[in-house]
Amino acid sequence: MPKSIKKANLPTKICPTCALPFTWRKKWKKNWEHVKYCSDKCRQNKTKTP
């Protein structure tokens, strides 16, 4: 990600567990394509629906 991208222009995804949008984070820089859940809590509760 270039440093000139503003927060409003960051890529977003929808979490399949909580159905809320979440934005790109620096720690996901190398594997953003594989990120599915917004948090560890949602990843642990992935079989449950909100």
Side-chain angles (χ1 to χ4, degrees):
M1 283 253 140
K3 292 182 180 181
S4 62
I5 294 181
K6 297 184 181 192
K7 288 184 180 183
N9 297 330
L10 290 174
T12 61
K13 292 185 179 183
I14 304 294
C15 178
T17 304
C18 64
L20 294 174
F22 63 97
T23 57
W24 181 90
R25 295 182 190 169
K26 189 174 182 179
K27 68 179 183 178
W28 294 331
K29 182 178 183 178
K30 294 182 181 180
N31 64 347
W32 175 245
E33 299 82 28
H34 303 291
V35 174
K36 295 181 183 178
Y37 304 99
C38 64
S39 65
D40 290 334
K41 183 178 178 182
C42 280
R43 189 170 0 105
Q44 291 170 355
N45 296 324
K46 60 186 168 188
T47 57
K48 300 176 184 176
T49 54

